[in-house]
Amino acid sequence: MDYLYSALAVVAAYLVGSLSFAVIVSKLMGLNDPRSYGSKNPGATNVLRSGNKAAAVATLLLDGLKGWLPMALVTWFGRDYGLREGTLAAVGLAAFIGHLYPVFFRFEGGKGVATAAGVLFGVHWVLGLATLATWVIVAFFSRYSSLASLACALFAPWYYLVGDRSFWYADKTMTLAIFVMSACLAYRHRENINKLLRGEESRLGSKAKR
């Protein structure tokens, strides 16, 4: 029965992750589909290029929430159903994968930065805060969202391992899940990496080209 509950939790997390809030929020606020302009990525940074900061903030918070909420629910109630650390790691990864490949949007999702951050906050608030601080610092000095996201992908696994026995006990399955998320983030930013190397990457605050 424990395996059934674990499977249901993972499937539910994937379905929650599949809610593409960049598209949903834009539609509700009467904006163009974010997949039709700028980087064509359904994420908060591209929504910001629409010029509507409220829509971008809403997208950012909701994308983060869908990573954090499944983790929080398993942490709060999972032990009553036999859900342990392995399920927690699988649930976080499932929510993240849902954002990348959403079943409700033809498996065409975003890059997963905000959702990954939500998952990290679900692991421990210190881990989430350290990763968020990394993004803010790199983005502030470089003005490149993609570079800040890549820095987070690089440092998040390291933060998790360094925090072992100080803030949490590092679990092997969670370590693997965080490494997989980091690898996926780097892969999803491959075009941004090429643009950064060519000096063609858009900076934060730039308008979308439709």
Side-chain angles (χ1 to χ4, degrees):
M1 185 62 71
D2 290 351
Y3 291 109
L4 176 59
Y5 287 137
S6 294
L8 290 174
V10 170
V11 171
Y14 170 76
L15 294 176
V16 171
S18 291
L19 297 172
S20 185
F21 285 111
V23 179
I24 295 171
V25 169
S26 294
K27 186 173 183 178
L28 290 175
M29 298 184 72
L31 304 175
N32 289 328
D33 190 320
R35 296 170 295 181
S36 67
Y37 61 81
S39 65
K40 295 181 171 55
N41 175 62
T45 300
N46 202 40
V47 172
L48 182 61
R49 294 190 177 104
S50 71
N52 192 313
K53 293 181 180 179
V57 171
T59 298
L60 178 67
L61 293 177
L62 289 169
D63 278 349
L65 180 65
K66 72 183 184 183
W68 172 82
L69 184 60
M71 299 283 287
L73 291 175
V74 171
T75 300
W76 295 337
F77 307 112
R79 291 195 177 276
D80 294 338
Y81 298 92
L83 307 184
R84 307 301 182 192
E85 285 75 10
T87 301
L88 185 65
V91 162
L93 186 59
F96 174 76
I97 296 299
H99 179 84
L100 268 56
Y101 305 102
V103 66
F104 304 126
F105 295 87
R106 296 178 296 179
F107 301 101
E108 298 174 358
K111 294 174 182 176
V113 178
T115 303
V119 171
L120 296 178
F121 270 102
V123 175
H124 197 285
W125 68 268
V126 171
L127 178 61
L129 193 61
T131 307
L132 177 61
T134 300
W135 191 95
V136 170
I137 291 170
V138 176
F140 178 80
F141 286 103
S142 71
R143 307 301 298 174
Y144 289 120
S145 174
S146 57
L147 184 60
S149 300
L150 288 166
C152 291
L154 176 65
F155 282 103
W158 183 75
Y159 290 152
Y160 183 67
L161 294 175
V162 167
D164 182 31
R165 300 181 188 280
S166 296
F167 297 100
W168 51 75
Y169 287 94
D171 175 72
K172 291 181 180 180
T173 54
M174 186 61 72
T175 302
L176 177 61
I178 294 174
F179 269 102
V180 169
M181 286 195 301
S182 293
C184 289
L185 283 171
Y187 176 75
R188 299 287 282 195
H189 281 82
R190 61 194 184 280
E191 292 184 8
N192 302 90
I193 294 172
N194 290 330
K195 288 182 179 180
L196 284 167
L197 293 174
R198 296 195 301 264
E200 299 174 356
E201 180 69 328
S202 299
R203 293 181 183 270
L204 283 168
S206 62
K207 295 294 184 179
K209 293 181 179 179
R210 301 181 187 279

